[in-house]
Amino acid sequence: MPLSPALISEAGGDVPNAELPSSLSQATLNDIQVANFLENLESAFFEAAVTNLTQWGTAGFPDDTLDIVKRVAAQETVHKQTFRSILAHFNTATIPACQYQFPVTDTASFLKLAQIITSVGIGAVIDLAGSVSISDPALVNGIASTVANEARQDAFFRQAALGLVPNPTPQDTRISAVWALNLALPFVVPNSCPLFPEVQIYPAMTVISPVAGNSTGDSGNIVFSTTAEGLPGNISVAWINQANVPQFTAANRAGSQFTTTIPSNMGGMAFAALVNQTSAVDVATLTPMTLAGPAPVQIS
């Protein structure tokens, strides 16, 4: 369905009209289905925010906060429609929206969650760009331009919500499509998705202390909880940050909670997962080793 002129104007542009290749690999189509799933969630989150911020007000935040969120909402609709258009062009099922539950009660909690959700989106699209550069390079330019747009959004949310510098690191953090979908699941109403991408679902992993969403710094202890059962005795926390190889820290378990030390030399948004192997060299090889997680950790 074509987007309305009003939405295109608000977003600053429409779905790209560049010619698509004659075919795409099945792996790329599967990854684009996950991207469609994630953009559905982002679009719903920001559409609801426009209504909520109108009610809550934006006192204490930049005067143009509502206008920026309206633009982000429109841009996320364009992103969603872009991935849906690619899937439809290749006669592949598009992913309908689910029902969502976002734990926001005021402008501050919305902006804090917006920064986390946007960081997840950035990481997933970086991964998508990397995979299609090998299998379907004709898509790289469009996907890379989406990453740049998401990064601009993230910069605003970092500064407006957390009072942090908008550009904390020289690279953003890539995460796998599987990790991104698992990070989205807490915001999805169970059994509400008409169609669900075929990916591995892991037990949840949550930051307990420091308070989730607050900056932790790149040292000291951090406590997680998990819903995983029957974990092996020797477990570690794997950390992904920027374009670096994974770091691993020992996990001291007490029931469903475990404590570990935050590695040094990290910044921005990191992602942590529970594992019992330390041989992974990147997030692609780390993902199938995941026992629980991932969890987003705001380092700086």
Side-chain angles (χ1 to χ4, degrees):
M1 178 182 297
L3 300 176
S4 71
L7 187 142
I8 293 169
S9 176
E10 183 71 64
D14 199 352
V15 173
N17 60 9
E19 185 176 354
L20 291 169
S22 59
S23 64
L24 291 179
S25 67
Q26 188 59 52
T28 290
L29 291 170
N30 291 345
D31 286 346
I32 291 175
Q33 284 185 318
V34 175
N36 182 178
F37 179 93
L38 296 172
E39 292 294 349
N40 286 344
L41 184 146
E42 286 193 69
S43 179
F45 177 67
F46 287 110
E47 285 178 6
V50 172
T51 299
N52 289 335
L53 291 181
T54 302
Q55 298 173 350
W56 294 332
T58 56
F61 298 97
D63 293 340
D64 56 356
T65 295
L66 179 57
D67 290 337
I68 291 173
V69 172
K70 287 179 179 178
R71 178 160 292 239
V72 171
Q75 290 170 345
E76 293 306 320
T77 299
V78 173
H79 295 168
K80 174 179 67 176
Q81 188 61 29
T82 298
F83 289 124
R84 289 176 59 86
S85 296
I86 294 171
L87 293 170
H89 181 84
F90 292 102
N91 298 312
T92 301
T94 58
I95 306 299
C98 308
Q99 297 177 33
Y100 305 104
Q101 49 191 7
F102 300 111
V104 294
T105 55
D106 54 23
T107 301
S109 60
F110 156 73
L111 290 170
K112 187 175 290 187
L113 183 56
Q115 199 274 316
I116 294 173
I117 287 176
T118 304
S119 293
V120 171
I122 290 169
V125 180
I126 292 172
D127 186 68
L128 180 59
S131 63
V132 302
S133 70
I134 299 170
S135 60
D136 300 282
L139 294 183
V140 169
N141 288 343
I143 291 170
S145 66
T146 299
V147 174
N149 173 255
E150 297 264 359
R152 289 190 181 96
Q153 297 172 5
D154 183 65
F156 169 77
F157 294 127
R158 282 182 55 83
Q159 204 162 30
L162 303 176
L164 300 173
V165 295
N167 53 333
T169 55
Q171 295 94 29
D172 282 309
T173 302
R174 167 194 170 203
I175 57 174
S176 65
V178 175
W179 271 24
L181 190 143
N182 276 267
L183 285 159
L185 283 182
F187 311 119
V188 176
V189 175
N191 303 314
S192 70
C193 299
L195 183 63
F196 198 84
E198 296 183 10
V199 300
Q200 177 69 43
I201 304 302
Y202 299 111
M205 176 171 160
T206 307
V207 177
I208 299 299
S209 176
V211 176
N214 290 349
S215 296
T216 63
D218 63 348
S219 63
N221 289 339
I222 186 169
V223 181
F224 296 95
S225 68
T226 181
T227 59
E229 299 179 352
L231 290 171
N234 185 24
I235 56 175
S236 301
V237 175
W239 298 84
I240 290 289
N241 185 242
Q242 302 181 64
N244 299 319
V245 298
Q247 298 189 70
F248 299 92
T249 54
N252 299 312
R253 185 179 174 193
S256 63
Q257 297 188 6
F258 50 96
T259 302
T260 193
T261 302
I262 300 170
S264 59
N265 302 317
M266 296 199 302
M269 183 68 74
F271 297 90
L274 200 61
V275 299
N276 67 339
Q277 302 179 54
T278 58
S279 58
V281 297
D282 57 20
V283 73
T285 51
L286 181 61
T287 295
M289 300 178 182
T290 302
L291 299 176
V297 181
Q298 185 75 59
I299 302 296
S300 65

